[in-house]
Amino acid sequence: MGFGDLKSLASLQVLNDYLADKSYIEGYVPSQADVAVFEAISGPPPADLYHALRWYNHIKSYEKEKASLPGVKKALGKYGPTNVEDTTGSGAADSKDDDDIDLFGSDDEEENEEAKRLREERLAQYESKKAKKPALVAKSSILLDVKPWDDETDMAKLEECVRSIQADGLVWGSSKLVPVGYGIKKLQIQCVVEDDKVGTDMLEEQITAFEDYVQSMDVAAFNKI
């Protein structure tokens, strides 16, 4: 289990594939799992690894809050796909830092009363802070290229089909036709999505289902809002 050495391009590709249908490393909100993986990366992933780059920029925005994010930071090898060998040498045991931020205390059965009291106080403080903080809705702006079969494709009908796709967390924006050659034009259309509700895989599946008009769909640009 793990992503491998995230300073290598191959491991960043594994991370990118892992995040293709996920907003976070674990669960549906940023957590210490995201912090652990973020800190293992030396800098922003390449632009062509747009799932990893989107996640990196999003977690970077929590720089001042990362210590207060929920969960317990574990060794890097504890996260990621199960079919990848952990080459970080950290999969066998969590780091010393994990003990320092462990909100849930020790697993020892013979826990003394003082440790138990401190653990309960920390949990109460964390729950109080979390309750006061407004929930963040992660959104992305996506520019899609939708290509027709040929120059005889009815582009007005093609756009009508694309805009007919409705989903909670999906808002369609402006569009234009862009020449690609030989009299053929592609539809370039903007949309804003809530990351937890709508992904590019879902959009591609539904758009290419209009197979009488659509040859293919590509993501031209993907930016966090």
Side-chain angles (χ1 to χ4, degrees), residues 98-117:
D98 296 341
D99 297 329
D100 296 336
I101 62 168
D102 186 1
L103 298 176
F104 301 95
S106 170
D107 290 333
D108 294 339
E109 294 182 1
E110 297 179 359
E111 179 180 47
N112 62 48
E113 289 300 317
E114 179 66 13
K116 183 178 180 180
R117 182 183 66 80

Side-chain angles (χ1 to χ4, degrees), residues 115-132:
K116 183 178 180 180
R117 182 183 66 80
L118 288 173
R119 183 186 66 184
E120 290 175 350
E121 286 181 2
R122 290 177 183 175
L123 282 171
Q125 290 171 0
Y126 168 70
E127 291 296 337
S128 175
K129 184 175 181 180
K130 184 173 70 171
K132 294 176 182 177

Side-chain angles (χ1 to χ4, degrees), residues 144-163 175-180 183-189 212-216:
L144 302 176
D145 281 346
V146 185
K147 297 175 183 176
W149 288 105
D150 51 41
D151 59 345
E152 296 182 357
T153 299
D154 186 338
M155 297 303 291
K157 183 64 177 177
L158 184 150
E159 181 173 353
E160 179 184 333
C161 290
V162 172
R163 290 185 182 274
S175 65
K176 63 181 180 180
L177 297 178
V178 179
V180 294
I184 301 173
K185 295 181 180 180
K186 65 182 177 181
L187 172 68
Q188 199 166 75
I189 186 167
D212 289 341
Y213 302 97
V214 178
Q215 181 194 66
S216 64

